Amino acid sequence: MNNIRKTIGIDMDGVLADIEQQFMDWYENEYGVIVPREERLGVLEPEGFPEKGAIKRYVNTPGFFRTIPVMEGAVEAVKRLMEDYDVYIVSAAMEFPQCLSEKHEWLAEHFPFISWRNIIFCGDKSVVVTDYLIDDHCKNLDFCKGKAVMFDASHNVNQHHHLRVHSWTEILAFFEQEKVSEENTVTAATA
């Protein structure tokens, strides 16, 4: 039997870190306007708010990436996945000046159980090869060499060419099903 563990690549923004909530909170704080998710469905993040330059300004502001709230259920789910898989955090962290250090600090605070060896900060995720990739952007999932799992976000609601999950509960259910399928395949092969 093959004892090599499968690998999962997990995106940060929009998957582990609730960047949509961060955008909404920062926008409301600055402009006093709440822009509900329903009004941003199918719209890329920079275009989803009335003041078009706001999002770009936020991602270039020190403290933005460091203070993003954790996605509900993410910490517990990642711990659970690590029992059966080699989990890697895969995040584009080169575009904005403070992004790299802030994301590193954010992970150290919220996911201290993830080894530095399992953190991949990059510019282009297409070079990362894992058995699974959980991300909210098709620009990353379209190049996935394993199974692509799209985490639901307002900007990707009109994209339907990847398996979609809406929560960390659904991610855990998906991987439980994957485990059962794998066990059935091994049982059938040895019978």
Side-chain angles (χ1 to χ4, degrees):
M1 183 153 90
N2 188 354
N3 289 328
I4 297 176
R5 288 161 49 108
K6 290 197 173 189
T7 57
I8 303 173
I10 302 175
D11 178 35
M12 284 182 68
D13 300 331
V15 178
L16 293 177
D18 194 344
I19 197 165
E20 280 191 56
Q21 189 63 53
Q22 184 82 329
F23 286 143
M24 290 187 298
D25 291 346
W26 278 47
Y27 195 87
E28 180 183 1
N29 187 48
E30 181 175 5
Y31 295 100
V33 175
I34 298 172
V35 182
R37 183 178 195 266
E38 297 74 34
E39 291 181 18
R40 295 178 288 104
L41 295 178
V43 179
L44 293 177
E45 294 104 326
E47 306 303 317
F49 294 84
E51 178 58 43
K52 297 303 177 202
I55 299 307
K56 185 173 183 179
R57 194 167 13 87
Y58 298 157
V59 296
N60 282 290
T61 300
F64 178 81
F65 289 100
R66 181 64 183 90
T67 59
I68 297 175
V70 178
M71 195 70 77
E72 184 180 336
V75 174
E76 300 80 12
V78 171
K79 285 179 181 178
R80 174 64 192 94
L81 291 173
M82 290 174 71
E83 294 173 11
D84 297 312
Y85 297 90
D86 289 336
V87 172
Y88 294 88
I89 305 307
V90 181
S91 185
M94 303 316 210
E95 187 174 358
F96 310 110
Q98 77 289 350
C99 184
L100 180 68
S101 61
E102 289 191 10
K103 285 187 174 193
H104 186 259
E105 291 170 6
W106 188 93
L107 281 171
E109 177 184 349
H110 300 290
F111 294 84
F113 50 89
I114 295 177
S115 167
W116 63 269
R117 288 182 167 92
N118 292 63
I119 299 172
I120 302 167
F121 289 136
C122 58
D124 181 356
K125 294 182 189 179
S126 68
V127 300
V128 176
V129 179
T130 53
D131 294 303
Y132 301 91
L133 178 61
I134 305 167
D135 204 298
D136 63 314
H137 281 282
C138 286
K139 67 182 179 185
N140 301 316
L141 295 170
D142 289 348
F143 295 99
C144 176
K145 295 167 184 62
K147 289 187 180 181
V149 180
M150 183 165 49
F151 202 96
D152 186 64
S154 61
H155 64 82
N156 69 26
V157 297
N158 296 325
Q159 298 167 341
H160 304 289
H161 58 285
H162 295 295
L163 169 71
R164 179 181 300 274
V165 293
H166 295 87
S167 66
W168 277 98
T169 301
E170 285 187 22
I171 288 174
L172 288 177
F174 166 76
F175 280 102
E176 282 300 317
Q177 186 58 45
E178 286 290 289
K179 209 161 70 171
V180 168
S181 295
E182 211 169 285
E183 289 168 359
N184 289 342
T185 301
V186 169
T187 302
T190 59

